[in-house]
Amino acid sequence: MEKGLASSSATMLVLKLLEDKDMYGYQMMEELSRRSDQTFTLKAGTLYPILHSLEKSGMVVSYDANADGARVRKYYRITSRGRKASEEKQSEWSAYAQAIRRVLNGGADYAVI
């Protein structure tokens, strides 16, 4: 898949992952890859700037905790502001995807599948 398509939706995907449970970075990378059947593979150099930006804007908060008795990891939790942003981004993405399907299927009058 073209990198531009994936990167433009990366913030939405990260927020969506965090809606289910708090996660640490590597866990998010693995879960995104698994849920997308390896279509989306975020690298640490892409994920952590997204997380820092989300934290700075108040959409996520971070905290340190032990992971399964192992070393301390930095976990991220979505905030109410982040949940609202996630809903908005998903709505925008759905409208965008419907418009793309209409064009690919021959026009706005074509039934959406």
Side-chain angles (χ1 to χ4, degrees), residues 62-75:
S62 64
Y63 62 94
D64 294 334
N66 286 349
D68 301 324
R71 65 178 194 211
V72 173
R73 297 187 188 273
K74 184 178 236 179
Y75 281 83

Side-chain angles (χ1 to χ4, degrees), residues 2 4 15 24-25 28 30 32 44 48 59 64 68 75 77 90-92 102 105 111:
E2 185 179 325
L15 287 171
Y24 57 90
M28 284 183 246
E30 289 292 308
L32 182 60
Y48 288 105
M59 292 187 212
D64 294 334
D68 301 324
Y75 281 83
R77 175 183 299 137
Q90 289 176 60
S91 178
E92 290 169 3
R102 284 193 301 268
N105 290 322

Side-chain angles (χ1 to χ4, degrees), residues 3 5 20 26 29-30 34-35 41 44 48 50 61-63 67 72-73 78-79 85 87 95 100 104 106:
K3 286 186 181 189
L5 288 174
D20 294 337
Y26 181 76
M29 290 185 277
E30 289 292 308
R34 185 190 68 76
R35 286 190 193 185
T41 54
Y48 288 105
I50 290 169
V61 294
S62 64
Y63 62 94
V72 173
R73 297 187 188 273
I78 193 168
T79 63
E87 289 172 13
I100 293 291
L104 294 177

Side-chain angles (χ1 to χ4, degrees), residues 5-70:
L5 288 174
S7 67
S8 66
S9 60
T11 298
M12 175 185 62
L13 297 174
V14 168
L15 287 171
K16 183 62 180 172
L17 288 175
L18 292 173
E19 285 180 12
D20 294 337
K21 66 180 181 177
D22 299 357
M23 297 177 146
Y24 57 90
Y26 181 76
Q27 187 180 19
M28 284 183 246
M29 290 185 277
E30 289 292 308
E31 184 66 9
L32 182 60
S33 181
R34 185 190 68 76
R35 286 190 193 185
S36 68
D37 199 22
Q38 286 71 47
T39 299
F40 299 116
T41 54
L42 282 180
K43 304 260 190 268
T46 301
L47 176 61
Y48 288 105
I50 290 169
L51 288 169
H52 294 146
S53 175
L54 289 170
E55 191 169 23
K56 188 175 181 179
S57 65
M59 292 187 212
V60 301
V61 294
S62 64
Y63 62 94
D64 294 334
N66 286 349
D68 301 324

Side-chain angles (χ1 to χ4, degrees), residues 8 12 84-100:
S8 66
M12 175 185 62
K84 183 177 180 192
S86 180
E87 289 172 13
E88 290 170 359
K89 289 180 180 298
Q90 289 176 60
S91 178
E92 290 169 3
W93 181 256
S94 291
Y96 178 78
Q98 283 181 339
I100 293 291

Side-chain angles (χ1 to χ4, degrees), residues 97-113:
Q98 283 181 339
I100 293 291
R101 279 194 296 274
R102 284 193 301 268
V103 170
L104 294 177
N105 290 322
D109 293 332
Y110 196 87
V112 177
I113 299 171

